Amino acid sequence: MKKADRYRLVIERFEQSMPQAQTELHYENPFQLLVAVILSAQCTDKRVNIITPPLFERYPTASDLAGASREEIFELIRSCSYPNNKTTSLMGMAKMLTERFGGEVPDSIDDLMSLPGVGRKTANVILSVVYDRPAMAVDTHVFRVAERIGLTTNSKTPLTTERELTRNIPVEKIARAHHWLILHGRYVCKARKPLCSQCEINQYCRYYTKHAQQ
């Protein structure tokens, strides 16, 4: 199958099955989403959604979070992965967001990536979800699923995956495609044991064609 045909067929199927695909993180404003995405690194969305309500209740704004002590933040997020590092990131992010951006989450990738704890993936999540930009955030699910399906070929880094996906997906569908790939990887195309027999796109999948039918 030609790659262009695979992209077209996969997108068509996902559009039918997940027309309203969106993040599973709970948030009410851009600041809350930024905090949640920072916490979600190597941590499940389910766990983050348990952690964030008391955190947001105590620190509803960047200014409030910037004024918190390390001990206070750590105690609230200690059940997530790498709580020490994430406490440092949240403190630095909140301080810079308050001092440099007036407490408002910026809308450029360079400004976002200048914030402590914010890498390219997190910045692209904010750009796509909050600002509806054609940004492709590549996390472990997107990286794995894109290569396994055959949307990318021998991609070695998240950046090369991002570039290949954005080059081949229609610009108006890129933001949704990020969620399609994440959700597909989370519930169907699992890392250790993909549920190929239950997969709605298995007939277009490079992995299924080569391995699952053997």
Side-chain angles (χ1 to χ4, degrees):
M1 178 181 291
K2 293 182 179 179
K3 184 172 288 188
D5 292 330
R6 178 174 285 117
Y7 268 94
R8 177 178 56 81
L9 292 166
V10 167
I11 289 171
E12 286 177 355
R13 186 57 61 88
F14 281 154
E15 282 188 311
Q16 294 171 5
S17 63
M18 295 184 280
Q20 304 299 325
Q22 58 188 339
T23 181
E24 293 185 315
L25 292 170
H26 298 166
Y27 71 98
E28 295 181 356
N29 54 57
F31 168 68
Q32 289 188 358
L33 180 61
L34 180 56
V35 170
V37 177
I38 290 173
L39 290 172
S40 72
Q42 299 183 58
C43 185
T44 66
D45 287 2
K46 182 178 180 180
R47 169 55 51 185
V48 173
N49 289 336
I50 292 171
I51 292 169
T52 50
L55 181 67
F56 294 152
E57 183 177 1
R58 187 173 299 184
Y59 309 115
T61 68
S63 178
D64 294 322
L65 188 60
S69 71
R70 181 178 187 85
E71 293 73 19
E72 290 171 329
I73 297 174
F74 179 85
E75 187 60 31
L76 287 167
I77 71 166
R78 64 186 305 166
S79 65
C80 75
S81 57
Y82 306 105
N84 279 306
N85 290 340
K86 290 178 182 178
T87 295
T88 300
S89 294
L90 291 179
M91 291 178 67
M93 177 276 291
K95 184 176 181 181
M96 183 179 289
L97 202 61
T98 301
E99 295 178 351
R100 183 176 172 186
F101 300 104
E104 299 297 321
V105 176
D107 62 355
S108 81
I109 193 164
D110 290 337
D111 285 342
L112 284 164
M113 290 180 64
S114 73
L115 296 168
V118 178
R120 188 174 184 88
K121 184 214 78 174
T122 297
N124 278 334
V125 170
I126 300 301
L127 291 175
S128 63
V129 175
V130 175
Y131 297 110
D132 198 27
R133 303 282 178 79
M136 173 60 67
V138 178
D139 67 355
T140 55
H141 291 304
V142 174
F143 186 78
R144 178 186 74 255
V145 171
E147 185 70 20
R148 185 181 276 169
I149 292 172
L151 300 181
T152 59
T153 305
N154 297 321
S155 181
K156 302 300 183 184
T157 68
L159 183 57
T160 57
T161 295
E162 175 189 333
R163 287 172 174 169
E164 188 164 1
L165 290 174
T166 54
R167 187 167 60 246
N168 288 282
I169 297 172
V171 65
E172 72 277 7
K173 300 177 182 179
I174 290 174
R176 277 189 299 155
H178 159 70
H179 298 301
W180 290 335
L181 292 170
I182 286 178
L183 295 172
H184 190 65
R186 185 173 292 164
Y187 298 112
V188 181
C189 196
K190 299 181 180 182
R192 295 186 179 180
K193 191 175 181 180
L195 306 178
C196 294
S197 63
Q198 302 175 30
C199 178
E200 63 184 344
I201 60 168
N202 58 20
Q203 59 189 307
Y204 317 131
C205 176
R206 182 175 61 195
Y207 175 88
Y208 183 77
T209 300
K210 289 184 177 181
H211 303 288
Q213 299 184 85
Q214 294 178 359

